[in-house]
C-alpha cells in the first residue's frame, strides 16, 4: 500500500529523532567513561602520593621505639631490686585524623578534667602526625578514654622507672626523666655507656635486658640512711652523710646523704641542699686529715712511733699562733699527738717530713684530682699547688684545703688495707678483679702503724673515738675524729662546724672503711658539746653495731684481740716509752 505524503514525512521525522537520541546516548557514554577514567586516575595518583609519603614515626621528635624501650633492672649485691621498669599507658593524638576538634575536647575533658580546654584545643588542631596529650596514666583512665571512641586519639605503652626503696638509695641511683632516660646518678652513668649503645642498636626494644648488679648492700644502706636521718634530728644538724667501702675490692657497700629526694618524683631533687655530699660536696676535713699527715711522715721514715714532739706551746707564724683545742701542754709521743688530736704536735710531724714532701704525698694519695668513680655528680678538690709554711701547717690538720668525703674514704681504705689505693666502684668487683687496679701509696709496715693509731684512738684513755667504741663493743673499730670550723663571712666560726669520723673495722683483719659527716650539729646534752666524737663518732658506732653481723663479722670480746692491736700498757697514760 502506497504511503501518503504525511506518512512518509512522519517516518522520516521518526528516523531522525532516533538518530539524534542515539548520538546523544553515545556521547553520554563517552563522557561517563572519561569521567570514570579521570576518577580512577585521581585515586591512583593519590595512592601513589600516599605510598611515597614517609610515615611520621615520632611523637614530638621522639622516636616511638625509643619511648617504648626498656631499661635493665638494677639489683643490689644480694639480688634485691633497687630499680625496675613498669609499663604505663600514655595518651597521644593525631590531629590530622581528628574529625571534630570541639567534640574531641569536650569528651576528653570528661575523663581528664585537669586539662586546660584552650590548651587541648590548640593541641588537637593542625596537621601534625603525633602530639602528646597526657603521659603516664593509669589503666583505668586508659579504658575510659578508649570508650569515648574519638578518632585520632590513641595510647602508646611506655616504660616508667620505679624505685622500690624510695629515698634510701636516691643519691646512688639518681633518676630518669619522663622519656625514661637517666638524668642523675648511676642511671645517667649507664646511659652514657652500655644502655645507650644497646638502644641505638635496637636490642632493648621489647626485650628484657640483663640486670645491672651493684656493689651496694641494701641492708647496710637502710641502716646507714636511717642513722643519718636520726642524726639530723638528734643533733639538729642541717645535713648528714656517710659512705662505706670494702677496702680490698673498692666496692661501695652503702652511700647516703640527707636531705635527699624521692627518685620516683625527680623534681624533688631540685629542693635546696638535697645534693650528694659524699661526691658533690667538698669540705675542710679537719682532724681526720691528721691520719694523712701521720701516714706520709711515717712512710717516709722522717718520724717513728717512738718519736716525741714538743706540744707545750703554740706554733707561731708571724703574728699568728696555732694552739691546741684541749692542749696537754707537755711533750707528747707521736701516738699521743694522734690520740689527743694535737694540732701543735701534728705541725711538728709535718715539719719533720717537710712541706714539699707533704704536698707531694697529697698528690700520691689522689687529693689533686677527682676520685675515679661512676657517679656524674662530682666536684674537684681544692688543694693549693704549693704550700707556704703556714699553709702546710694548717693543712696538716685539715684546714685550708677542701676535699670530698669520698677522697677521705679512699685514703683511709689504703691506710688500713696494707697500703694500696683502690679506686672505689658502685659495681660488683672481686678481689681478683681489683688487684690489677691497686696502686701502692704506703708500705705495709706504715699501714700496720696506722691501724694501731686508729685503734688506740678508740680504746686509749682520752681518745676522741671512745664514744664510738662504747657503741660498737666487740667489733674493734678504729678511727679519727675531725671537727672543722666553717667559714662564715670570710672568717672561721666556732659556732658552725662540720664534723667527720673516718674509721675502719674490724682492725685485727680490716675489711671495711667508712666516713661519716654531720653538718652543723648542736650539742645533744650539756656534756657533749659539738665535737665530732659525740655525733659523727657515735653515728659510726651505731652503724657498725648493727651492720657488722650482716656483713658476716661476729662480735668478739676477747681481750687478746685488743691486746694484739694495742697492748694494755699503752691503752692508758703516757704513750711512747713502751716502744723503746
Amino acid at each position: 500500500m502506497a504511503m501518503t505524503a504525511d506518512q512518509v514525512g512522519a517516518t522520516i521525522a521518526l528516523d531522525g529523532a532516533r538518530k539524534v537520541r542515539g548520538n546523544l546516548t553515545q556521547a553520554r557514554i563517552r563522557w561517563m567513561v572519561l569521567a570514570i577514567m579521570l576518577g580512577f586516575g585521581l585515586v591512583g595518583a593519590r595512592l601513589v602520593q600516599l605510598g611515597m609519603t614517609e610515615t611520621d614515626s615520632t611523637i614530638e621528635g621522639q622516636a616511638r621505639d625509643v619511648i617504648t624501650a626498656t631499661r635493665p633492672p638494677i639489683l643490689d649485691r644480694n639480688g634485691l631490686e633497687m630499680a625496675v621498669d613498669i609499663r604505663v599507658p600514655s595518651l597521644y593524638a593525631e590531629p590530622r585524623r581528628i574529625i571534630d576538634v570541639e567534640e574531641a575536647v569536650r569528651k576528653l575533658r570528661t575523663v581528664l578534667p585537669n586539662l586546660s580546654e584552650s590548651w587541648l584545643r590548640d593541641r588537637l588542631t593542625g596537621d601534625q602526625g603525633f602530639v602528646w596529650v597526657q603521659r603516664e596514666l593509669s589503666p583505668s583512665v586508659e579504658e575510659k578514654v578508649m570508650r569515648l571512641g574519638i578518632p585520632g586519639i590513641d595510647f602508646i605503652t611506655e616504660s616508667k622507672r620505679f624505685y622500690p626503696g624510695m629515698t634510701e638509695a636516691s643519691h646512688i641511683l639518681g633518676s630518669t626523666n619522663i622519656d625514661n632516660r637517666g638524668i642523675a646518678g648511676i642511671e645517667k652513668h649507664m646511659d652514657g655507656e652500655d644502655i645507650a649503645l644497646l638502644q641505638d642498636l635496637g636490642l632493648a626494644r621489647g626485650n628484657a635486658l640483663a640486670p645491672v648488679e651493684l656493689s651496694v648492700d641494701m641492708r647496710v644502706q637502710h641502716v646507714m640512711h636511717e642513722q643519718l636521718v636520726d642524726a639530723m634530728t638528734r643533733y639538729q644538724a642541717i645535713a648528714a652523710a656517710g659512705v662505706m667501702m670494702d677496702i680490698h675490692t673498692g666496692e661501695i657497700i652503702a652511700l647516703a646523704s640527707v636531705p635527699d629526694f624521692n627518685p620516683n618524683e625527680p623534681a624533688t631533687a631540685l629542693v635546696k641542699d638535697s645534693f650528694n655530699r659524699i661526691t658533690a660536696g667538698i669540705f675542710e676535713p679537719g682532724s681526720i686529715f691528721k691520719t694523712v699527715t701521720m701516714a706520709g711522715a711515717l712512710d717516709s721514715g722522717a718520724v717513728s712511733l717512738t718519736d716525741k714532739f714538743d706540744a707545750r706551746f703554740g706554733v707561731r707564724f708571724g703574728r699568728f699562733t696555732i694552739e691546741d683545742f684541749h692542749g696537754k701542754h707537755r711533750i707528747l709521743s707521736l701516738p699521743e699527738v694522734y690520740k689527743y688530736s694535737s694540732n701543735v704536735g701534728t705541725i711538728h710531724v709535718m715539719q719533720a717530713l717537710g712541706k714539699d714532701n707533704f704536698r707531694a704525698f697529697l698528690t700520691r694519695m689522689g687529693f689533686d684530682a677527682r676520685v675515679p668513680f661512676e657517679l656524674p655528680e662530682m666536684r674537684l678538690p681544692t688543694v693549693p699547688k704549693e704550700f707556704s709554711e703556714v699553709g702546710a701547717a694548717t693543712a696538716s690538720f685539715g684546714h685550708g684545703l677542701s676535699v670530698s668525703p669520698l677522697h677521705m674514704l679512699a685514703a683511709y681504705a689504703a691506710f688500713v688495707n696494707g697500703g694500696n689505693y683502690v679506686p672505689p666502684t658502685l659495681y660488683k668487683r672481686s678481689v681478683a678483679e681489683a688487684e690489677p687496679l691497686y696502686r701502692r701509696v704506703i708500705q705495709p709496715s706504715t699501714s700496720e702503724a696506722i691501724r694501731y693509731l686508729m685503734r688506740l684512738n678508740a680504746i686509749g684513755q682520752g681518745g676522741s673515738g671512745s664514744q664510738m667504741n662504747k657503741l660498737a663493743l666487740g667489733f674493734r673499730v678504729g678511727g679519727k675524729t675531725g671537727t672543722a670550723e666553717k667559714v662564715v663571712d670570710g672568717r672561721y666560726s666556732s659556732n658552725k662546724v662540720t664534723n667527720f669520723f673516718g674509721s675502719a673495722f674490724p682492725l685485727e683483719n680490716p675489711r671495711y672503711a667508712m666516713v661519716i659527716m654531720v653538718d652543723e650539729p648542736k650539742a645533744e646534752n650539756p656534756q657533749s658539746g659539738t665535737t665530732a666524737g659525740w655525733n659523727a663518732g657515735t653515728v659510726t658506732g651505731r652503724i657498725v653495731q648493727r651492720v657488722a653481723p650482716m656483713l658476716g663479722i661476729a662480735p668478739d670480746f676477747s681481750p687478746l684481740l685488743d691486746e694484739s692491736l694495742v697492748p694494755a700498757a699503752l691503752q692508758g697514760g703516757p704513750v711512747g716509752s713502751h716502744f723503746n
Side-chain angles (χ1 to χ4, degrees):
M1 180 184 294
M3 292 186 294
T4 64
D6 291 339
Q7 289 175 325
V8 172
T11 300
I12 292 171
L14 182 61
D15 289 341
R18 287 173 178 167
K19 288 181 180 178
V20 171
R21 283 198 300 273
N23 290 336
L24 287 173
T25 300
Q26 290 177 1
R28 286 171 181 166
I29 292 172
R30 285 195 295 269
W31 281 111
M32 185 167 291
V33 169
L34 180 60
I36 291 171
M37 291 178 66
L38 286 173
F40 276 112
L42 290 172
V43 171
R46 180 58 176 164
L47 290 173
V48 171
Q49 182 184 15
L50 291 173
M52 296 177 65
T53 301
E54 185 177 348
T55 303
D56 189 350
S57 61
T58 65
I59 297 181
E60 299 184 351
Q62 183 80 358
R64 281 193 283 176
D65 57 353
V66 171
I67 290 170
T68 59
T70 59
R71 299 178 69 83
I74 298 177
L75 311 179
D76 86 332
R77 66 185 304 108
N78 301 309
L80 186 68
E81 289 182 333
M82 299 176 69
V84 294
D85 267 9
I86 57 176
R87 307 296 279 172
V88 293
S90 289
L91 180 63
Y92 71 91
E94 299 176 77
R96 60 188 174 205
R97 288 186 55 223
I98 294 177
I99 298 171
D100 188 334
V101 172
E102 293 302 323
E103 179 187 33
V105 170
R106 187 178 67 257
K107 286 184 174 181
L108 281 175
R109 293 190 74 250
T110 63
V111 179
L112 300 168
N114 59 309
L115 295 180
S116 163
E117 183 176 344
S118 58
W119 177 88
L120 186 56
R121 183 180 295 108
D122 291 342
R123 204 76 171 146
L124 302 183
T125 303
D127 60 353
Q128 290 177 277
F130 296 91
V131 294
W132 287 120
V133 177
Q134 190 161 343
R135 301 176 74 173
E136 298 179 355
L137 297 168
S138 67
S140 61
V141 171
E142 178 185 22
E143 183 181 359
K144 290 177 182 178
V145 171
M146 294 304 289
R147 285 179 179 176
L148 298 175
I150 306 172
I153 296 293
D154 206 348
F155 284 87
I156 190 170
T157 301
E158 292 190 84
S159 293
K160 175 179 171 62
R161 205 60 160 164
F162 178 68
Y163 303 91
M166 309 293 278
T167 61
E168 282 194 352
S170 57
H171 286 299
I172 295 173
L173 295 167
S175 57
T176 59
N177 62 15
I178 199 166
D179 293 319
N180 214 25
R181 289 183 175 272
I183 55 174
I186 204 69
E187 294 277 28
K188 184 175 182 179
H189 177 264
M190 288 179 1
D191 272 12
E193 298 199 350
D194 299 337
I195 305 308
L197 176 60
L198 288 173
Q199 289 184 343
D200 288 342
L201 295 175
L203 300 180
R205 314 287 183 242
N207 298 312
L209 293 172
V212 173
E213 296 181 302
L214 298 187
S215 60
V216 177
D217 188 322
M218 279 303 292
R219 302 170 304 169
V220 179
Q221 180 73 21
H222 169 77
V223 172
M224 178 175 284
H225 182 269
E226 180 183 74
Q227 289 301 317
L228 293 175
V229 171
D230 175 74
M232 285 189 65
T233 303
R234 186 188 296 258
Y235 308 116
Q236 303 175 55
I238 65 169
V243 58
M244 182 188 296
M245 184 174 98
D246 184 312
I247 65 172
H248 300 296
T249 65
E251 294 172 300
I252 296 298
I253 306 301
L255 184 157
S257 177
V258 291
D260 49 22
F261 64 97
N262 184 353
N264 294 313
E265 301 174 18
T268 59
L270 303 177
V271 175
K272 184 182 178 183
D273 293 331
S274 63
F275 66 96
N276 182 357
R277 284 167 169 79
I278 296 298
T279 61
I282 56 172
F283 309 90
E284 290 195 356
S287 291
I288 62 168
F289 211 74
K290 289 173 181 171
T291 310
V292 178
T293 304
M294 296 295 172
L298 286 167
D299 199 64
S300 72
V303 300
S304 70
L305 288 174
T306 58
D307 287 346
K308 295 179 174 61
F309 301 88
D310 188 352
R312 293 174 297 172
F313 313 104
V315 181
R316 190 172 182 83
F317 295 94
R319 53 194 181 90
F320 298 102
T321 300
I322 299 176
E323 303 274 3
D324 282 336
F325 182 60
H326 290 302
K328 299 298 179 181
H329 304 292
R330 61 177 175 82
I331 305 294
L332 299 177
S333 67
L334 186 142
E336 287 180 316
V337 169
Y338 190 80
K339 184 176 72 167
Y340 298 135
S341 199
S342 168
N343 291 342
V344 173
T346 303
I347 292 172
H348 290 317
V349 170
M350 181 278 300
Q351 289 174 334
L353 172 63
K355 68 181 181 66
D356 293 335
N357 291 332
F358 173 57
R359 182 62 186 82
F361 184 69
L362 301 191
T363 297
R364 192 196 311 174
M365 293 305 305
F367 289 116
D368 286 337
R370 164 181 167 157
V371 178
F373 195 53
E374 291 87 8
L375 292 186
E377 297 80 25
M378 301 283 283
R379 279 189 66 188
L380 290 171
T382 57
V383 180
K385 292 183 178 180
E386 294 182 357
F387 281 140
S388 63
E389 293 294 338
V390 67
T394 58
S396 71
F397 53 85
H399 286 262
L401 47 76
S402 295
V403 298
S404 73
L406 190 64
H407 281 92
M408 295 308 304
L409 178 73
Y412 268 65
F415 293 156
V416 298
N417 72 3
N420 294 305
Y421 185 95
V422 189
T425 181
L426 279 170
Y427 293 113
K428 291 181 77 171
R429 180 197 286 162
S430 67
V431 174
E433 292 169 331
E435 284 178 343
L437 305 175
Y438 284 8
R439 179 170 59 84
R440 180 160 293 285
V441 289
I442 59 173
Q443 298 305 309
S445 58
T446 306
S447 177
E448 183 179 0
I450 294 297
R451 292 197 297 270
Y452 158 72
L453 292 175
M454 290 173 66
R455 185 59 181 160
L456 173 68
N457 192 47
I459 63 175
Q461 181 182 351
S464 61
S466 59
Q467 296 302 316
M468 173 277 299
N469 190 59
K470 292 176 183 177
L471 296 167
L473 290 174
F475 296 111
R476 292 160 307 285
V477 189
K480 184 71 186 76
T481 53
T483 300
E485 295 179 346
K486 301 182 76 169
V487 176
V488 178
D489 298 328
R491 302 184 65 180
Y492 284 105
S493 169
S494 59
N495 297 322
K496 292 185 177 182
V497 296
T498 305
N499 289 347
F500 298 90
F501 197 90
S503 63
F505 68 98
L507 281 183
E508 78 277 10
N509 181 23
R511 288 176 56 188
Y512 300 99
M514 180 164 57
V515 172
I516 296 294
M517 182 192 84
V518 181
D519 198 2
E520 293 189 23
K522 305 294 189 299
E524 184 181 13
N525 55 61
Q527 291 77 36
S528 66
T530 58
T531 53
W534 288 91
N535 41 71
T538 54
V539 172
T540 298
R542 294 186 191 102
I543 291 174
V544 173
Q545 189 271 333
R546 289 182 57 186
V547 307
M550 298 176 185
L551 296 170
I553 302 171
D556 190 330
F557 299 94
S558 169
L560 296 178
L561 280 175
D562 269 326
E563 180 74 15
S564 67
L565 291 166
V566 182
L570 305 182
Q571 293 180 20
V575 183
S577 60
H578 304 277
F579 288 94
N580 293 328

